[in-house]
Amino acid sequence: MSLERTLTVRVARIARQTPEILAFELTHPWGRALPGYEAGAHIDVHMPGGFSRQYSLARAPHLSAGDAYVIGVKREPASRGGSASMHERVREGDLIAISTPRNTFPVRAEARRHLLLAGGIGMTPLLAMAQALASQGADFTLCVFARSEEHLAFADALRAPGLAAHVRLHLDQGDASQRIDLRQMLADRAPDTHLYVCGPGGFMHAVREAAAHWPEEALHTEYFAAPDGTAAATTGLPFTLKLARRGIEVPVAADQTAVDALHEVGIDIPVSCQQGLCGTCVVDGQGEDAEHRDFCLTTAERRGRIALCCSRAKNQELVLDL
């Protein structure tokens, strides 16, 4: 159940980027402009087989000009069905449903310098960020970590004039002298530098360890899955949701999520990943009273925002601005 707007788009083009990654270009079926977005945004893609997955938009807004969205999809060996469906069942010319773009991983306006670290397919939101920053003449570096040249997605975009000078490549099977030492790179943080990270679990863990001394407000992450491969727990003690604007209370059972409890009384909260990763279900509320179990909000954001798909009350009541 969701009130989130859904769009129908046409798969205009499918291009192989690596042996495991396909790029999908999505356009309006009648040639109209698609809703705008900011670099770092992602969409939900509803695909054959009833699957729904989140994919970052891999092209800066000014390069898309409202005409198309571009996503990269890696065929996962242990796919739960989503990436397999995109690779095996979606063809050029097909119509598929997507959500409108939303952004829980934006470029921070307060930063004076931006360091973007991308592991594998995690480069998709960071590529869009880099393109946007390049167009603004900003101070940034995009570091891309890949297995080899053959496994480097969107290579042409990385070599584009205006962007290539800002790109550093770390290839596991490449020249050892060009590999990036994360601890050395992140040892000293220049003033007003912000770090953005996206990639597989092991890569994310390595970066977070190397940047453990960085202030939290300067470190921004987007996960493919819950850290350490564990999903956010959704059950616990029963509690009550107090909806401040409606003046009503909604009980949440021990084996229920806050989202499910609200749906039962006819209040629709948009949901997507249901793992505390994507931020779709985040609402305003008294975050100090919440037991936060998400992976998308910073400590500062948690003071006044709550991811309802997984978070619960610390005690018996949780006040929401609903």
Side-chain angles (χ1 to χ4, degrees):
M1 297 173 66
S2 171
L3 294 177
E4 190 171 44
R5 185 182 170 197
T6 299
L7 306 173
T8 297
V9 293
R10 185 181 302 280
V11 181
R13 183 168 178 260
I14 301 175
R16 181 159 296 281
Q17 297 292 321
T18 76
E20 303 163 325
I21 297 172
L22 295 177
F24 294 79
E25 184 173 301
L26 311 175
T27 61
H28 193 285
W30 303 323
R32 297 176 183 171
L34 295 171
Y37 63 95
E38 294 181 348
H42 66 273
I43 57 174
D44 297 338
V45 178
H46 307 286
M47 57 199 71
F51 303 102
S52 178
R53 299 288 185 268
Q54 295 79 46
Y55 294 106
S56 296
L57 298 176
R59 183 186 289 168
H62 74 281
L63 296 176
S64 294
D67 295 331
Y69 296 154
V70 175
I71 60 173
V73 180
K74 181 181 179 182
R75 175 66 160 93
E76 298 291 349
S79 172
R80 293 177 293 133
S83 67
S85 178
M86 290 294 288
H87 276 244
E88 298 170 8
R89 301 176 65 177
V90 176
R91 297 290 179 262
E92 290 185 355
D94 286 357
L95 297 178
I96 60 175
I98 65 170
S99 70
T100 52
R102 60 179 175 274
N103 200 350
T104 57
F105 191 43
V107 173
R108 302 291 169 154
E110 68 271 23
R112 294 175 60 184
R113 183 172 186 277
H114 310 265
L115 180 57
L116 318 175
L117 302 187
I121 191 61
M123 74 175 295
T124 50
L126 299 177
L127 174 59
M129 287 183 183
Q131 292 170 334
L133 290 167
S135 72
Q136 299 162 14
D139 183 0
F140 75 97
T141 300
L142 170 61
C143 299
V144 180
F145 295 72
R147 199 182 319 168
S148 66
E149 286 278 359
E150 183 187 20
H151 293 87
L152 182 63
F154 299 100
D156 290 344
L158 293 174
R159 298 187 182 106
L163 186 58
H166 297 271
V167 175
R168 283 189 63 184
L169 289 182
H170 172 108
L171 302 177
D172 293 341
Q173 299 173 11
D175 187 340
S177 65
Q178 298 196 0
R179 294 176 193 164
I180 298 171
D181 184 323
L182 285 174
R183 289 194 177 278
Q184 184 180 56
M185 168 180 277
L186 300 173
D188 298 312
R189 173 183 176 251
D192 299 319
T193 299
H194 281 235
L195 176 63
Y196 309 78
V197 194
C198 187
F203 174 76
M204 300 290 284
H205 180 71
V207 174
R208 292 204 69 121
E209 278 203 330
H213 57 291
W214 282 54
E216 185 185 14
E217 64 270 17
L219 177 57
H220 315 288
T221 57
E222 185 163 80
Y223 286 90
F224 296 156
D228 301 323
T230 58
T234 56
T235 59
L237 296 174
F239 64 99
T240 299
L241 292 171
K242 186 173 182 179
L243 310 189
R245 282 191 276 163
R246 287 176 169 85
I248 62 173
E249 296 184 351
V250 178
V252 182
D255 60 351
Q256 223 181 6
T257 67
V259 165
D260 289 340
L262 291 169
H263 284 175
E264 280 194 357
V265 297
I267 299 173
D268 288 323
I269 301 296
V271 293
S272 184
C273 74
Q274 300 188 60
Q275 299 180 70
L277 297 169
C278 69
T280 306
C281 66
V282 171
V283 302
D284 293 337
Q286 293 185 7
E288 296 91 341
D289 297 329
E291 182 183 310
H292 295 280
R293 301 180 180 183
D294 66 274
F295 306 102
C296 60
L297 297 175
T298 65
T299 298
E301 290 170 336
R302 285 176 171 180
R303 295 189 190 108
R305 310 196 77 197
I306 304 162
L308 294 183
C309 74
C310 57
S311 298
R312 306 184 71 82
K314 285 182 182 176
N315 298 305
Q316 297 180 343
E317 185 179 86
L318 187 57
V319 180
L320 305 178
D321 185 22
L322 288 175

